[in-house]
Amino acid sequence: MSIQRVVKPLQFGALFVSAAALLGACGEPMSGEETVQEEAAGTDSTLTAFNIPAPVASMNCSKIGTTISCTGSGGDGVTPYTYQWQTVDDFGSGPTSPYWYNGGTAYTDYCNFVLSTSGTYFTKYIRFRVVDASARVSNEVTKSYRCWAPN
């Protein structure tokens, strides 16, 4: 009997046994495994990284004359934060934009408002959010102002 005649059935047998073992590992837990998993879930051995809450953003804005000044801050999450701002001048096409710009904790913008029968009125939306060091994005905070632009 040649060596090839012996090895080929052994290779097929090893492949068959390996496939059966892998498929057998899938599916429901065997009896007794549920209690082990339940006991492990109740211990304090879980990683603390999963217990860190998502970042939270807050923003305060004020308008004096034609200047809007905003200050944003972040909390929770993993520091350091990346502060992101978005502004949209909505002339009727909608108050959304896909663009966010990295910046600091302060933002300043221009908004003129006069009572006039000419010109165009629009709404300026200023949004702020925080991205933490683990790339989780906070809530978006929005403040809107009514502005006017000459024709």
Side-chain angles (χ1 to χ4, degrees):
M1 183 178 270
S2 73
I3 190 80
Q4 288 180 332
R5 291 188 125 187
V6 174
V7 172
K8 280 204 179 219
L10 287 176
Q11 288 175 340
F12 178 72
L15 177 66
F16 180 74
V17 170
S18 299
L22 286 173
L23 291 174
C26 300
E28 297 182 20
M30 297 175 66
S31 64
E33 284 185 343
E34 290 121 6
T35 57
V36 172
Q37 289 174 352
E38 290 168 3
E39 290 170 6
T43 65
D44 290 329
S45 64
T46 57
L47 295 174
T48 57
F50 294 112
N51 297 331
I52 297 173
V56 178
S58 61
M59 176 180 69
N60 291 314
C61 295
S62 63
K63 182 175 181 285
I64 299 174
T66 59
T67 303
I68 300 171
S69 298
C70 298
T71 304
S73 63
D76 293 338
V78 180
T79 58
Y81 302 123
T82 300
Y83 303 103
Q84 295 186 331
W85 296 90
Q86 179 186 81
T87 59
V88 176
D89 293 340
D90 181 16
F91 289 91
S93 59
T96 59
S97 171
Y99 303 108
W100 288 89
Y101 302 97
N102 293 342
T105 57
Y107 177 81
T108 304
D109 207 337
Y110 176 83
C111 175
N112 186 26
F113 184 85
V114 297
L115 295 175
S116 177
T117 55
S118 63
T120 304
Y121 290 95
F122 64 97
T123 304
K124 179 180 290 288
Y125 292 91
I126 300 173
R127 292 186 180 90
F128 176 75
R129 72 181 184 184
V130 172
V131 180
D132 74 358
S134 63
R136 291 187 297 174
V137 180
S138 72
N139 58 308
E140 295 177 10
V141 186
T142 303
K143 183 73 177 165
S144 62
Y145 291 93
R146 201 70 179 131
C147 304
W148 173 84
N151 283 342

